[in-house]
């Protein structure tokens, strides 16, 4: 009854199933490991942020370049404030507002973007308090340059003069003549009645859309593996039922033929239509 499993057609089906199932399971496990890795990074970033609030601030130069290890760490820098910009469209405590960003010219000659605080409403230079004069020392959380269009950062262009959509070297280099650090900080304590902006987790460590995409892909690959097994059993059951009916003489003569024989017969009729259209007795 199971002789059909030795036919070339079923050899091909079996080989495909034996290769497809492990592949689907491997891909599903890999996507799951990606999701678990992001969960682990998120947990570490949260624990790091909690410990960073109590650690002693370190000099900026010792914490560069910014990476997953240094992002969010407290740093200190000394210099004089220069040009001030506004960063519109930023959410804080479920309210829309803008950041007040001021460049801090350090003794090295490079300028460090400093988010001095957040204010609600539309970005308006008249609302933004002026930066302190003279030499200042600032302390805040170190942050990596933002990527426009990612993690809620606007990619909007054509903003009014004095505004930037993203806090990054690529965005600021066209607005200021300063040589810039590939980093920025958000102050622990905001200036002049503004609200302090909390540090954000490094890219790739949060439970963002990409993380849940990994989880969704995990489910899809395991569903594909299950569907492959289901279809194999369904084909097997159909062939077994057909063979049983044929052995009991319950199927028409054409159905008692194997799938390959029926296909060959249909092709032969298609190539010689006169054999099926000629009237009997001629």
């Amino acid at each position: 009854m199971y002789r059909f499993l030795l036919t070339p057609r079923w050899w091909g089906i079996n080989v495909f199933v034996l290769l497809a199932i492990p592949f689907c399971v491997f891909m599903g496990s890999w996507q799951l490991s990606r999701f678990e890795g992001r969960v682990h990074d998120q947990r570490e970033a949260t624990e790091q942020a909690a410990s960073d609030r109590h650690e002693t601030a370190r000099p900026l130069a010792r914490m560069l370049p910014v990476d997953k290890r240094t992002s969010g760490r407290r740093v200190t820098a000394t210099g004089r404030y220069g040009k001030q910009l506004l960063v519109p469209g930023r959410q804080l405590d479920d309210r829309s507002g803008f950041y007040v960003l001021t460049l801090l010219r350090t003794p090295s000659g490079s300028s460090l973007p400093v988010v001095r605080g957040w204010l609600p409403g539309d970005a308006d230079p008249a609302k933004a308090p002026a930066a302190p004069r003279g030499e200042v020392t600032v302390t805040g959380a170190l942050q990596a340059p933002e990527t426009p269009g990612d993690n809620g950062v606007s990619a909007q262009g054509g903003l009014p003069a004095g505004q930037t959509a993203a806090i990054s070297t690529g965005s600021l280099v066209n607005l200021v003549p300063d040589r810039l650090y590939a980093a920025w900080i958000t102050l622990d304590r905001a200036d002049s009645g503004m609200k302090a902006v909390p540090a954000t987790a490094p890219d790739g460590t949060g439970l963002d859309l990409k993380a849940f995409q990994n989880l969704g892909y995990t489910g899809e690959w395991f569903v594909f593996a299950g569907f492959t097994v289901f279809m194999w059993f369904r084909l097997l059951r159909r062939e077994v039922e057909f063979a049983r009916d044929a052995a009991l003489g319950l199927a028409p003569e054409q159905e008692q033929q194997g799938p390959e024989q029926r296909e060959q017969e249909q092709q032969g009729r298609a190539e010689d239509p006169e054999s099926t259209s000629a009237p009997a007795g001629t």
Side-chain angles (χ1 to χ4, degrees):
M1 182 177 297
Y2 293 95
R3 293 179 181 177
F4 61 85
L5 291 174
L6 301 178
T7 61
R9 172 172 173 266
W10 270 93
W11 268 107
I13 293 175
N14 293 334
V15 170
F16 172 79
V17 171
L18 290 176
L19 293 177
I21 293 176
F23 177 77
C24 292
V25 172
F26 169 79
M27 293 300 297
S29 301
W30 178 70
Q31 291 289 349
L32 182 59
S33 68
R34 294 288 301 274
F35 174 76
E36 291 176 342
R38 289 179 179 273
V39 172
H40 178 72
D41 290 342
Q42 170 71 7
R43 186 181 300 111
E44 284 192 342
T46 301
E47 294 174 353
Q48 182 66 45
S51 63
D52 288 345
R53 297 190 187 100
H54 306 288
E55 75 170 2
T56 302
R58 301 183 181 184
L60 172 67
R62 292 175 54 186
M63 304 300 287
L64 295 176
V66 187
D67 54 22
K68 290 183 179 181
R69 180 183 61 85
T70 60
S71 181
R73 305 290 292 273
R74 296 179 71 243
V75 298
T76 182
T78 301
R80 295 176 179 271
Y81 279 124
K83 187 175 180 59
Q84 183 160 285
L85 301 168
L86 304 181
V87 187
R90 296 306 177 103
Q91 302 288 326
L92 188 61
D93 296 335
D94 296 327
R95 299 176 64 189
S96 179
F98 61 96
Y99 293 168
V100 177
L101 174 72
T102 311
L103 299 182
L104 181 72
R105 176 69 67 87
T106 65
S108 68
S110 297
S111 293
L112 174 68
V114 177
V115 173
R116 296 172 46 235
W118 174 91
L119 290 172
D122 296 331
D124 184 354
K127 297 180 181 178
R133 295 181 178 276
E135 187 173 272
V136 296
T137 298
V138 298
T139 302
L142 184 64
Q143 301 281 265
E146 296 179 332
T147 302
D150 192 20
N151 291 336
V153 178
S154 173
Q156 177 183 359
L159 293 174
Q163 296 187 17
T164 180
I167 309 174
S168 67
T169 305
S171 298
L172 297 175
V173 71
N174 299 318
L175 303 176
V176 296
D178 304 43
R179 188 170 69 249
L180 301 170
Y181 285 101
W184 59 281
I185 69 171
T186 173
L187 296 183
D188 291 343
R189 297 181 179 179
D191 289 339
S192 305
M194 295 183 291
K195 195 164 187 177
V197 176
T200 58
D203 290 341
T205 60
L207 295 180
D208 54 8
L209 179 60
K210 293 181 180 179
F212 289 102
Q213 283 180 340
N214 292 137
L215 187 60
Y217 293 150
T218 299
E220 289 181 0
W221 283 112
F222 286 130
V223 168
F224 292 157
F227 181 75
T228 301
V229 175
F230 167 76
M231 289 302 300
W232 185 86
F233 275 108
R234 183 175 180 181
L235 290 174
L236 178 67
R237 180 179 179 183
R238 188 183 67 176
E239 291 289 347
V240 170
E241 290 178 349
F242 174 80
R244 183 184 298 114
D245 292 344
L248 297 175
L250 300 178
E253 180 179 354
Q254 182 178 1
E255 293 183 0
Q256 294 181 18
Q257 300 174 351
E260 297 178 357
Q261 294 177 336
R262 294 199 302 269
E263 183 177 355
Q264 293 176 0
E265 183 176 341
Q266 291 175 358
Q267 291 179 354
R269 291 180 179 178
E271 294 174 357
D272 188 11
E274 294 183 358
S275 62
T276 59
S277 59
T282 58

